[in-house]
Amino acid sequence: MATGTLPLVVNGHKVPLVLFLLIYIGLIHSQQFTIPFKTPSDCGGDAFFDISSLSCVNCGPNQRRSPTGLSCICQTGYKTLTTDKVSISCQECFPGKPAVTEDGFECIRCPGSLSDEGKCKCPPGNILVERDINGNLLDEARCDICNGSSPALSVPNSSGVRCERCHASFINSSCVCKPPNVLAGGLCIPSGSLSTNVNPSVNYAQLKFSVLSAWFQTNLYSSSAACLVFSNLTACQALGNMCVMNTHSFSGVSTDACGLFNTIFRSRAAMSSTQDISYWKANLPWLYYGDEPGLANRVLQSDPAPIKFSFRGRNKNTDITLLAAVYNVKGEFLRWEQIGGSNLQLCPGPATKQGAAFSFGTAYKESCDLSVAELFNTHPEPLFYDVFMDLGGGENRKLLPLPTLVLNQQYNGRFINQEGMQNWYLSRRMFLVDTLSGREKSLSSLPKVIRVASSVKLRFRLVPRTQEGQVYPPLMTVSYTDLLITDINTQTVSTSFAVEYEMDQKEARLKTDTALGVLGGVAVLYSLLKTVSWKRRIASSLIDLETVLKFLLFYAGDLANVFFVVTVGTGLYWLIFYKAQQFVSVLLPLPAQEEQFVTYIGCAFALKAVQFLHKLILQVSVDIFLIDWERSRTKTTRTMQATGEQKRDPSPVSIWRTYFVANEWNEIQSIRKISPTFQIMAVLFFLEVLGFSNLALRDPWSDLQRPSESYTPSYSLTLRYGLATTLWLCIGLLQMIFFTMFYEHFVEDKIRQFVDLCSISNISVLLLSHRCFGYYIHGRSVHGHADTNMEEMNNNLKREAESLCGQRGLLPNTEVQTFQVSLTNRLRLQYDRIRDTITRRNRPTRLTDTSAINSYEPHFRAYHTMNHFLGSVIDHGHPDMDYIVKDKLMFERVIGMEFLEPSDKSIFYNDEAHSFSDVLFYGNEATLLIFDTLFFCVVDLGSQSFVLAAVLTYLQQAIFCFIRNVLGRKNLVNKTLVDERFLI
């Protein structure tokens, strides 16, 4: 009926209803809901915090807030009435029955006085009885005394409502602990068993003060006495925990926690040991290994652990299984707990990443800053861990105790575990957060200081020369931080968890140093040989300061090569053998152990930079002269102004061929056998795109791609260097092979093209890299001239291709055009005398500066004089400065030194290898490649970024290429008299 009438209503009021609905929906969508923020502490004494509405609600009449603040209870003298509603109501008790029962639902008459809560109160030793055996309420409560005499020996329980048998320590003739016995912790301690003068303070050495701990005041004496007198297991564990909270520290004073523990330990010297471990006495926790000198070394590096690790193969085993016996602060055993998640790692994180800490070979470290307020919530009381390694074995499962090194442990005020291993004092048991011992006044007060395990590190050490993955017992190192509480809501504390793997690096370091020593000695001899060769080439026999400096420069380059070879070999060794091993036989050096290796890399780079700059300076200061063989083919007629006679003079020879050759030489000064841009891009492609950089991570896996959710360990500097140098050198060598074997043969060979250009241009080039040594490119045209037209040039080339003319070589019927030249001192002196007039000149500022050109004519004459002099020397026109042509001995080529000294005649050595490229970047590719490699690696090791290293390497290459071009251009202008304005 109602359903049927709805359309009529809607139809009758269609427009108003639709309008109303639209307005209502708009209001709903536009309304924002807010509530006031309230906490239980914000509610007054007459209100409670309603957990449903999250607000404060006033209590009813005759009610007050409960201790929790989350409900209401009746006021004193009022009983609770049960209703059908959620709330309660309270009714006042009549004067005849003024007290409220313990459950709060009835009123009763008391046999004695009332407590502050309005309930009946009984004298000590009595229990309160309010109901009969059937649960019926008595008209008047009664106080029944517990019989403390034999045979009952009973006392009230903790709530005072039942009699129960008293502790065995009381049982003698009664449950009363009579003097001189001491009542402590519910026990009756016999007099004389332990002095009551104990030291309940906790020492915070980092803050340089101690705190009188409320927990220690309450429990230290009772736990010590119960452990000593009654061998109470829980009390002994509680005493051990208090010693652990004091960082295992002890001194000459034997009344603190660790002092009392050691007193009890020594008293059990004659007793049997637990698990056949002499440091683990019966009924006591195992806290220390012992104080014998050198004990730590024997424990940690004497016998291998009975477990083997393997990275690959059928017997692969990389799982580190740790178990911990967990105790609470009262000494109660809680459980066996497997270590692997967040139990020893305070930093939060995904389980997959935290689990990577227990994969053997993966260097793990996670650190974070934790809120102190959060620590209070998650760790109200400390938990204590005795950590073991699970060795497996099925039914005969065995556990290996992990020794612990507490860095904060003190012995008579000295931090013994921060010294050498000989003085270490190994211990057991640890905790993560202690917010309890720093409470001074009461256990409910805010602590003055908290102690947090700021660093927990698990270290595995490989057995030397093992081939089966054997390790020594792992060492757990713990460092605690003492934090003075000022504002728990704003304070934070740093913490970290790490797993490290190390092996004895003495043998590897010895081999490295031996290689450096041997190769360094060879480098000295080779540098001496270079120095002798240099002295011969400058025609000097005097050993002076310049000679010593030159030796040091040569030695810097050779020693840089030694460091480079050794470091590359070392990095490649670790990269191959660590990543490819099946059974664990080598482990990576720790970051602290890599410092010497990084120092060697720095030395290699610094020395190679010195060598590179030395060669750069030599290249931009080389002597060079272009010998023009072209002679005038026609004569011009000019009229003498004085006599009017006509005179025929040779036509001037064009200078453009010389400019052309000079331009080509200028262009090839900085060419290389590789493409630097391609080199950088290819290295980055392999490292960053293909993921080769993952091979440098501190784990044994060779996966190039890693899942994003997996843990990524830190990089090994050794592996990072070995990987980067290997890639850089391999790509560089492949480029050089491609360039020399394919590109130069089938595309373009600029060095040989330059030699051909000299022949076509009828220009020879003399290069002097030393005073009396250099290179000669014989460019004399076989056609006698090159300043001709196109048709004649093509005909000449055709005749040369068809062997219708002589060959290009310096000697008849030879093709050798390039030579290494060793000049006599006489020839060099004459060369210097002519060159002096060339170098002392001022260039015109404009092409049309005629006054400057007129003053420049003496230098033009000097240029022609040098051109004529060198041409006549090549043509044997000076018998006193003649030369011979010969081949170099193979040994001379290898050591880079000439055995013959040019005393009477200069010597031209046939050089088909075009060694004149040694004065160009082209001939020093090895030096440039190594320098670029070291520069890239040094930047990367400093920044841990391959991209940044690539960018800076590119900039470095561009800068030095620019410097080489600019300075080489200026040197070319100064030495050849070619105007710089014609070098394009």
Side-chain angles (χ1 to χ4, degrees):
M1 188 75 173
T3 306
T5 59
L6 183 59
L8 297 176
V9 175
V10 171
N11 291 332
H13 304 82
K14 184 174 182 181
V15 175
L17 180 60
V18 171
L19 198 56
F20 170 76
L21 290 175
L22 290 175
I23 296 173
Y24 180 73
I25 293 173
L27 289 174
I28 290 178
H29 283 285
S30 64
Q31 185 173 0
Q32 294 184 351
F33 300 102
T34 60
I35 62 172
F37 174 71
K38 295 291 183 180
T39 64
S41 60
D42 295 331
C43 303
D46 297 331
F48 73 100
F49 184 76
D50 184 2
I51 62 174
S52 175
S53 63
L54 301 179
S55 61
C56 293
V57 178
N58 292 327
C59 293
N62 303 318
Q63 298 177 14
R64 61 184 174 88
R65 188 175 65 171
S66 67
T68 62
L70 302 179
S71 63
C72 291
I73 60 175
C74 292
Q75 294 181 356
T76 303
Y78 288 80
K79 67 177 182 178
T80 303
L81 295 179
T82 305
T83 64
D84 294 333
K85 300 179 181 179
V86 177
S87 61
I88 65 171
S89 60
C90 300
Q91 182 179 359
E92 185 177 9
C93 291
F94 296 106
K97 293 183 179 181
V100 181
T101 57
E102 289 291 331
D103 57 20
F105 286 94
E106 300 290 347
C107 296
I108 196 170
R109 188 167 54 251
C110 294
S113 61
L114 274 69
S115 66
D116 295 337
E117 291 81 14
K119 298 179 180 181
C120 296
K121 182 178 179 183
C122 289
N126 291 259
I127 61 171
L128 177 66
V129 180
E130 296 176 333
R131 297 179 185 271
D132 61 16
I133 193 171
N134 295 321
N136 298 316
L137 184 68
L138 301 177
D139 290 335
E140 181 179 352
R142 69 174 186 265
C143 292
D144 293 346
I145 188 170
C146 293
N147 187 5
S149 302
S150 179
L153 297 172
S154 62
V155 292
N157 66 355
S158 58
S159 59
V161 297
R162 187 178 62 185
C163 292
E164 60 183 19
R165 189 173 177 87
C166 60
H167 191 268
S169 62
F170 289 87
I171 298 175
N172 186 3
S173 59
S174 68
C175 287
V176 179
C177 189
K178 300 178 180 179
N181 297 334
V182 180
L183 179 63
L187 303 178
C188 187
I189 310 300
S191 63
S193 58
L194 183 66
S195 173
T196 57
N197 185 23
V198 297
N199 181 13
S201 62
V202 179
N203 182 34
Y204 295 99
Q206 296 176 357
L207 303 177
K208 295 182 170 43
F209 64 77
S210 298
V211 170
L212 200 61
S213 172
W215 177 261
F216 280 43
Q217 284 180 307
T218 305
N219 299 283
L220 179 57
Y221 176 77
S222 59
S223 298
S224 304
C227 179
L228 176 63
V229 178
F230 304 108
S231 297
N232 184 284
L233 297 180
T234 305
C236 291
Q237 296 293 335
L239 174 62
N241 291 341
M242 284 185 272
C243 179
V244 174
M245 285 191 282
N246 231 340
T247 65
H248 295 83
S249 301
F250 53 89
S251 61
V253 180
S254 60
T255 57
D256 58 3
C258 293
L260 292 171
F261 178 85
N262 283 303
T263 299
I264 299 173
F265 182 86
R266 287 190 294 269
S267 69
R268 307 285 174 86
M271 297 181 62
S272 61
S273 300
T274 301
Q275 304 283 3
D276 295 327
I277 299 174
S278 60
Y279 315 114
W280 195 354
K281 293 300 181 182
N283 304 326
L284 290 177
W286 181 9
L287 296 189
Y288 299 99
Y289 272 81
D291 56 356
E292 299 95 337
L295 177 62
N297 189 59
R298 296 196 299 273
V299 171
L300 298 174
Q301 299 182 11
S302 178
D303 298 323
I307 190 172
K308 299 177 181 179
F309 292 98
S310 174
F311 292 147
R312 294 168 183 84
R314 186 171 53 186
N315 299 321
K316 178 182 177 181
N317 179 25
T318 59
D319 295 331
I320 302 172
T321 306
L322 301 181
L323 291 177
V326 186
Y327 299 83
N328 64 12
V329 71
K330 300 176 182 178
E332 298 170 341
F333 176 79
L334 299 181
R335 60 190 173 272
W336 281 103
E337 187 172 296
Q338 182 167 348
I339 303 298
S342 58
N343 38 22
L344 288 188
Q345 301 187 49
L346 290 175
C347 293
T352 54
K353 290 190 176 182
Q354 291 185 334
F358 304 99
S359 175
F360 187 86
T362 300
Y364 182 90
K365 184 172 183 180
E366 280 293 331
S367 57
C368 61
D369 292 332
L370 298 175
S371 168
V372 172
E374 184 66 23
L375 291 179
F376 273 89
N377 294 331
T378 56
H379 298 82
E381 291 184 356
L383 294 179
F384 299 86
Y385 301 87
D386 287 347
V387 185
F388 300 84
M389 174 181 280
D390 188 355
L391 303 177
E395 295 181 357
N396 299 320
R397 196 173 179 184
K398 299 292 183 181
L399 299 179
L400 177 69
L402 264 62
T404 303
L405 185 71
V406 180
L407 298 181
N408 306 76
Q409 182 177 342
Q410 289 182 285
Y411 183 83
N412 290 329
R414 197 178 84 215
F415 292 99
I416 53 176
N417 289 338
Q418 297 180 15
E419 302 174 2
M421 184 182 291
Q422 189 70 17
N423 297 325
W424 282 0
Y425 203 131
L426 297 179
S427 58
R428 294 273 298 155
R429 190 164 293 190
M430 59 166 293
F431 65 90
L432 294 180
V433 180
D434 175 17
T435 60
L436 180 64
S437 63
R439 303 176 191 264
E440 283 188 301
K441 298 179 181 179
S442 67
L443 297 178
S444 60
S445 64
L446 193 68
K448 182 178 181 180
V449 183
I450 66 170
R451 181 167 276 160
V452 181
S454 56
S455 174
V456 178
K457 182 169 62 179
L458 188 62
R459 189 196 71 180
F460 287 83
R461 187 175 180 86
L462 193 67
V463 175
R465 297 186 180 87
T466 181
Q467 299 297 324
E468 299 179 343
Q470 289 184 299
V471 296
Y472 289 118
L475 173 67
M476 181 168 288
T477 304
V478 183
S479 177
Y480 296 102
T481 294
D482 302 333
L483 183 65
L484 181 65
I485 298 300
T486 55
D487 185 356
I488 63 172
N489 295 318
T490 59
Q491 286 183 279
T492 59
V493 61
S494 298
T495 182
S496 66
F497 179 84
V499 183
E500 290 183 350
Y501 304 87
E502 67 171 339
M503 63 176 292
D504 189 0
Q505 298 290 333
K506 292 181 180 178
E507 185 177 354
R509 192 177 297 114
L510 178 62
K511 291 180 179 179
T512 302
D513 293 342
T514 302
L516 285 174
V518 173
L519 295 178
V522 175
V524 172
L525 297 178
Y526 191 45
S527 300
L528 286 173
L529 194 63
K530 285 183 177 180
T531 306
V532 173
S533 175
W534 175 75
K535 293 295 289 184
R536 283 173 173 264
R537 290 178 175 182
I538 65 171
S540 172
S541 58
L542 180 64
I543 299 178
D544 51 7
L545 183 61
E546 184 184 8
T547 305
V548 176
L549 179 60
K550 206 69 176 180
F551 166 76
L552 293 178
L553 291 173
F554 288 140
Y555 185 57
D558 295 332
L559 191 59
N561 294 334
V562 169
F563 277 115
F564 181 73
V565 169
V566 171
T567 53
V568 171
T570 302
L572 196 57
Y573 166 83
W574 288 111
L575 183 63
I576 295 175
F577 284 91
Y578 178 71
K579 291 290 184 176
Q581 61 185 333
Q582 179 176 346
F583 284 97
V584 183
S585 57
V586 294
L587 291 175
L588 292 174
L590 294 175
Q593 296 172 326
E594 290 180 320
E595 292 179 357
Q596 188 178 32
F597 180 75
V598 174
T599 302
Y600 289 161
I601 298 173
C603 291
F605 172 70
L607 294 172
K608 182 57 68 172
V610 171
Q611 182 192 27
F612 171 69
L613 294 176
H614 177 221
K615 288 195 172 187
L616 181 64
I617 293 173
L618 292 179
Q619 288 188 10
V620 298
S621 60
V622 65
D623 289 330
I624 179 173
F625 192 82
L626 307 179
I627 306 172
D628 190 355
W629 295 101
E630 193 73 16
R631 299 293 179 264
S632 178
R633 300 170 59 187
T634 60
K635 292 185 178 182
T636 59
T637 303
R638 64 186 180 92
T639 304
M640 302 293 294
Q641 295 181 358
T643 60
E645 297 179 357
Q646 290 185 344
K647 184 177 181 180
R648 295 178 61 83
D649 293 330
S651 300
V653 176
S654 173
I655 194 64
W656 290 107
R657 291 171 297 100
T658 302
Y659 285 167
F660 187 47
V661 172
N663 268 287
E664 288 301 312
W665 176 261
N666 185 53
E667 290 180 4
I668 66 173
Q669 289 190 97
S670 59
I671 65 168
R672 295 181 58 175
K673 294 181 180 180
I674 67 171
S675 169
T677 303
F678 175 81
Q679 175 81 13
I680 293 174
M681 298 303 295
V683 170
L684 272 186
F685 176 78
F686 278 97
L687 290 175
E688 297 295 341
V689 179
L690 297 185
F692 273 62
S693 60
N694 290 326
L695 294 176
L697 295 175
R698 287 183 171 272
D699 60 23
W701 319 123
S702 302
D703 303 327
L704 298 183
Q705 302 296 331
R706 305 291 179 96
S708 58
E709 65 274 7
S710 64
Y711 174 75
T712 303
S714 61
Y715 285 99
S716 165
L717 297 184
T718 304
L719 294 186
R720 200 172 175 94
Y721 176 79
L723 178 66
T725 54
T726 301
L727 274 176
W728 194 282
L729 292 178
C730 287
I731 294 175
L733 290 176
L734 288 176
Q735 278 203 84
M736 291 174 64
I737 293 173
F738 172 79
F739 189 81
T740 55
M741 297 185 64
F742 295 96
Y743 187 84
E744 289 185 346
H745 283 79
F746 301 105
V747 180
E748 183 182 32
D749 185 352
K750 291 189 176 182
I751 299 300
R752 286 175 173 79
Q753 285 179 354
F754 179 77
V755 178
D756 292 339
L757 176 65
C758 291
S759 297
I760 295 174
S761 302
N762 204 15
I763 300 290
S764 292
V765 182
L766 179 64
L767 301 162
L768 295 179
S769 57
H770 299 71
R771 183 176 178 274
C772 294
F773 180 84
Y775 308 92
Y776 173 67
I777 302 173
H778 186 64
R780 193 168 190 175
S781 176
V782 296
H783 309 290
H785 57 271
D787 194 1
T788 182
N789 56 34
M790 181 183 296
E791 181 181 1
E792 187 175 357
M793 176 67 73
N794 288 331
N795 290 333
N796 290 340
L797 294 176
K798 183 177 180 181
R799 293 178 59 230
E800 189 173 356
E802 296 174 353
S803 301
L804 299 179
C805 58
Q807 295 178 329
R808 293 181 176 182
L810 175 63
L811 298 180
N813 300 319
T814 63
E815 287 286 349
V816 181
Q817 292 181 260
T818 54
F819 303 86
Q820 294 181 12
V821 296
S822 184
L823 306 180
T824 61
N825 193 44
R826 183 183 301 110
L827 194 154
R828 177 66 198 206
L829 290 174
Q830 180 62 25
Y831 177 87
D832 289 340
R833 280 194 292 268
I834 301 174
R835 192 188 64 174
D836 287 342
T837 59
I838 297 178
T839 55
R840 294 194 300 267
R841 62 185 176 87
N842 295 316
R843 226 170 300 142
T845 57
R846 299 191 309 273
L847 289 174
T848 58
D849 194 345
T850 55
S851 61
I853 293 176
N854 292 333
S855 62
Y856 206 40
E857 289 182 359
H859 304 295
F860 292 153
R861 289 194 296 270
Y863 167 79
H864 291 296
T865 302
M866 177 69 79
N867 190 75
H868 177 74
F869 167 69
L870 293 178
S872 61
V873 169
I874 299 300
D875 285 339
H876 302 279
H878 296 274
D880 57 338
M881 290 180 282
D882 206 358
Y883 65 93
I884 60 174
V885 179
K886 65 187 299 293
D887 290 326
K888 245 188 178 182
L889 299 176
M890 178 61 69
F891 191 59
E892 288 180 311
R893 294 180 183 274
V894 171
I895 66 175
M897 185 177 72
E898 298 74 35
F899 295 155
L900 296 178
E901 294 189 27
S903 56
D904 297 328
K905 291 185 178 181
S906 301
I907 304 174
F908 280 39
Y909 295 99
N910 292 318
D911 179 26
E912 298 183 9
H914 298 90
S915 297
F916 69 88
S917 62
D918 288 348
V919 299
L920 307 172
F921 271 2
Y922 183 90
N924 295 272
E925 187 58 54
T927 300
L928 294 172
L929 185 64
I930 295 176
F931 177 73
D932 290 343
T933 305
L934 288 171
F935 186 91
F936 178 85
C937 291
V938 166
V939 175
D940 172 65
L941 294 181
S943 64
Q944 295 285 290
S945 172
F946 287 123
V947 176
L948 178 62
V951 172
L952 294 183
T953 302
Y954 177 81
L955 292 178
Q956 168 265 128
Q957 291 173 342
I959 290 172
F960 280 113
C961 183
F962 175 77
I963 293 174
R964 176 65 179 86
N965 286 330
V966 170
L967 297 182
R969 180 190 185 98
K970 290 186 177 299
N971 181 68
L972 181 65
V973 170
N974 292 334
K975 300 296 176 62
T976 62
L977 204 64
V978 173
D979 198 294
E980 186 175 6
R981 291 166 294 181
F982 293 97
L983 295 179
I984 57 176

Coordinates of all heavy atoms in Angstrom, one line a residue, residues 844-857 860 981:
P844 N 103.7 40.3 -37.4 CA 102.8 41.5 -37.7 C 101.4 41.2 -37.2 O 100.9 40.1 -37.1 CB 102.8 41.4 -39.3 CG 103.2 40.0 -39.6 CD 104.1 39.6 -38.6
T845 N 100.8 42.3 -36.8 CA 99.5 42.3 -36.2 C 98.4 42.2 -37.3 O 97.3 41.7 -37.0 CB 99.2 43.5 -35.4 OG1 99.4 44.7 -36.2 CG2 100.2 43.6 -34.2
R846 N 98.7 42.6 -38.6 CA 97.7 42.5 -39.6 C 98.5 42.1 -40.9 O 99.7 42.3 -41.1 CB 97.0 43.9 -39.9 CG 96.3 44.4 -38.7 CD 95.4 45.6 -39.1 NE 96.1 46.6 -39.9 CZ 96.8 47.6 -39.3 NH1 96.8 47.7 -38.0 NH2 97.5 48.4 -40.0
L847 N 97.7 41.5 -41.8 CA 98.3 41.0 -43.0 C 98.8 42.2 -43.9 O 99.7 42.0 -44.6 CB 97.2 40.2 -43.8 CG 96.9 38.8 -43.3 CD1 95.7 38.3 -44.1 CD2 98.0 37.9 -43.3
T848 N 98.3 43.3 -43.7 CA 98.7 44.5 -44.5 C 99.6 45.4 -43.8 O 99.8 46.6 -44.2 CB 97.4 45.2 -45.0 OG1 96.7 45.6 -43.8 CG2 96.5 44.3 -45.8
D849 N 100.2 45.0 -42.7 CA 101.0 45.8 -41.9 C 102.4 45.8 -42.5 O 103.3 45.0 -42.2 CB 101.1 45.3 -40.4 CG 101.8 46.4 -39.5 OD1 102.4 47.3 -40.1 OD2 101.6 46.2 -38.3
T850 N 102.6 46.7 -43.5 CA 103.8 46.7 -44.4 C 105.1 47.1 -43.6 O 106.1 46.5 -43.8 CB 103.7 47.7 -45.5 OG1 103.3 49.0 -45.0 CG2 102.5 47.2 -46.4
S851 N 105.0 48.0 -42.6 CA 106.2 48.3 -41.8 C 106.6 47.2 -41.0 O 107.9 46.9 -40.9 CB 105.8 49.5 -40.9 OG 104.8 49.1 -40.0
A852 N 105.7 46.4 -40.5 CA 106.1 45.2 -39.7 C 106.7 44.2 -40.7 O 107.7 43.5 -40.3 CB 104.9 44.6 -39.0
I853 N 106.2 44.1 -41.8 CA 106.7 43.1 -42.8 C 108.1 43.4 -43.2 O 109.0 42.6 -43.3 CB 105.8 43.0 -44.0 CG1 104.5 42.4 -43.6 CG2 106.4 42.1 -45.1 CD1 103.4 42.3 -44.7
N854 N 108.4 44.7 -43.4 CA 109.8 45.1 -43.7 C 110.8 44.8 -42.6 O 111.9 44.4 -42.9 CB 109.8 46.6 -44.0 CG 109.0 47.0 -45.3 OD1 109.0 46.1 -46.2 ND2 108.5 48.2 -45.3
S855 N 110.4 44.9 -41.4 CA 111.3 44.6 -40.3 C 111.4 43.1 -40.1 O 112.2 42.6 -39.4 CB 110.8 45.2 -39.0 OG 109.5 44.7 -38.6
Y856 N 110.5 42.4 -40.8 CA 110.5 40.9 -40.6 C 111.4 40.2 -41.7 O 111.6 39.0 -41.6 CB 109.0 40.5 -40.9 CG 108.6 39.2 -40.2 CD1 109.1 38.9 -38.9 CD2 107.8 38.3 -40.9 CE1 108.7 37.7 -38.3 CE2 107.4 37.1 -40.3 CZ 107.9 36.8 -39.0 OH 107.5 35.7 -38.4
E857 N 111.9 41.0 -42.6 CA 112.7 40.4 -43.7 C 114.0 39.6 -43.2 O 114.3 38.6 -43.8 CB 113.1 41.5 -44.7 CG 111.9 42.0 -45.5 CD 112.4 43.0 -46.5 OE1 113.6 43.3 -46.5 OE2 111.5 43.5 -47.3
F860 N 112.9 36.2 -42.5 CA 112.6 35.4 -43.7 C 113.9 34.9 -44.3 O 114.0 33.7 -44.8 CB 111.9 36.3 -44.8 CG 110.6 36.7 -44.4 CD1 110.0 37.9 -44.9 CD2 109.8 35.9 -43.6 CE1 108.7 38.3 -44.6 CE2 108.5 36.3 -43.3 CZ 108.0 37.5 -43.8
R981 N 98.0 32.7 -38.3 CA 96.8 33.1 -38.9 C 96.4 32.2 -40.1 O 95.3 32.2 -40.6 CB 96.8 34.6 -39.4 CG 96.9 35.5 -38.2 CD 97.2 36.9 -38.6 NE 98.6 37.0 -39.1 CZ 99.2 38.1 -39.6 NH1 98.5 39.2 -39.5 NH2 100.5 38.1 -40.0

